[in-house]
Amino acid sequence: MAGSGGSASSASSPASHQAAPKILLAKPGLVAAGKFHRGAGGGGAEDDSTAALRSRLSSIGSLNLLSESWDFQTDRFLPFLTDNTDFTVVGVIGPPGVGKSTIMNEIYGFDATSPGMLPPFPILSQETRAMAKHCTVGIEPRISSERIILLDTQPVFSSSILSEIIKPDGSSTISVINGESMSAELAYELMNIQLGVLLASICHIMLVVSEGVHDVGMWQLMSTVDLLKHGIPDPSSVTLTHSQGAGLTPVKEKKDTIIEAGKEYMASPIFVHTKLRTQDITLQSSMQLKKALGRYFSSSTFMRSKDHQNPTEEKCCPAMTPSTQNNDLDSALPKLFLIPSKSRDDSPKPLYESYISALWRLRDQVLSMSSPSFSRTVSERDWLKNSAKIWEIIKTSPIIADYYRTLQSSGMFRR
């Protein structure tokens, strides 16, 4: 797996107090791998000095992979990619304030001790939180010197995003299904699903983050994603790669692309529950949550068991186990990580595992785990171009369109 041998670090020399801070976006040839500083685990919100530095930084919205009209844009991020074929794509999805960006900064290998350097992904500040706003818009891409492409997504189940797309009459400002007009609530529901389907289609590893042990909203969303992600090819599809110049009309091209995708591809999910209390991460509690996760997804694509048997108590291992455990016992189950709440000084000493060490362990898991491979070898640049085509297939998917009509006729959403 690309990126499993080392860790990324900041590449530029320490900035002076007068110099403007730089976003840690590794551009080919400009960033060299360095030693990862273990003390750099990020917190839940930016401190005042970091927020002040970020306020001086020019907007990086131009790198966003999704435009305000919900279209995929590649031109500005493409120069940061190469023809390298040894890379790994890691995406994250979850509600606001659960620590998605903090986790992505940890995987990137951000060294918070470098003077004047900002994390590659901005973290929700207390001011933004107090204003009921969100930090990430669309899909924010970054790439580390290890050639790990990181995709941080806008929050799901977010009232702040809903408020931005709703018109005075209750309809949506964004058309998400074949240009159809619909209520903002229904449009946002479909936007969350489309984001999940896209990440499951173009990523190697997909982090699904929830808050607390009782929030199963993300489990339900991923179950819907598994239900609707059929006929969507991976970014190495032959049809996607050679569609240009083939003389096919857009409609027939998309139809043939769906038919060509015989083998279903699904990114390997890691379910992460954050902000847990000490009593929620005991051996017994983690075992119960692991069993519940296995049972919930027992019939889903996420269960990669060869014999397709339902998980049993003997197969279900606790999420928190020594590194020497036999991983064969729970290889069929979706991976689960529990992250405790972070105190201001990471104290008092937790009974089982600290916030920082849990982030380290999650990063080590992502960098070392065996993830599904695309059906064919593809370069970073072709991955991005084909991901844009996959996004168009998702937006015109007849399966998702049928699901939309079902929701619309259910009476749950205003018309």
Side-chain angles (χ1 to χ4, degrees), residues 177-257:
I177 295 288
N178 296 325
E180 296 191 31
S181 176
M182 64 185 73
S183 69
E185 294 93 339
L186 180 52
Y188 185 49
E189 177 79 10
L190 294 173
M191 288 169 65
N192 295 336
I193 294 172
Q194 289 175 336
L195 272 180
V197 172
L198 179 66
L199 292 187
S201 302
I202 68 175
C203 294
H204 295 102
I205 300 171
M206 182 178 181
L207 301 172
V208 183
V209 188
S210 305
E211 180 176 346
V213 293
H214 303 295
D215 180 13
V216 296
M218 290 306 302
W219 293 16
Q220 295 170 348
L221 176 61
M222 292 310 298
S223 180
T224 304
V225 167
D226 179 62
L227 177 68
L228 302 181
K229 188 203 167 306
H230 291 293
I232 307 295
D234 69 58
S236 67
S237 167
V238 173
T239 303
L240 290 175
T241 305
H242 299 289
S243 60
Q244 292 183 347
L248 296 176
T249 62
V251 175
K252 187 170 190 303
E253 178 182 321
K254 293 170 184 175
K255 180 180 179 181
D256 290 346
T257 301

Side-chain angles (χ1 to χ4, degrees), residues 63-75 77 139 141 151 195 198-199 202 383-392 394-395:
L63 288 175
N64 200 307
L65 291 184
L66 290 181
S67 68
E68 293 182 357
S69 58
W70 210 233
D71 294 320
F72 203 97
Q73 47 192 15
T74 64
D75 293 344
F77 187 57
I139 300 178
L151 304 179
L195 272 180
L198 179 66
L199 292 187
I202 68 175
W383 166 84
L384 180 64
K385 295 174 183 177
N386 290 342
S387 294
K389 298 175 184 178
I390 289 175
W391 180 243
E392 293 305 314
I394 291 172
K395 291 175 65 176

Side-chain angles (χ1 to χ4, degrees), residues 17-34:
H17 293 292
Q18 290 76 23
K22 298 179 180 179
I23 282 292
L24 288 179
L25 179 63
K27 190 170 183 177
L30 297 182
V31 176

Side-chain angles (χ1 to χ4, degrees), residues 8 24 36-37 40-41 105-113 117-120:
L24 288 179
F36 176 65
H37 183 74
N105 288 332
E106 186 75 18
I107 296 173
Y108 185 98
F110 170 62
D111 185 356
T113 64
M117 298 305 295
L118 296 176

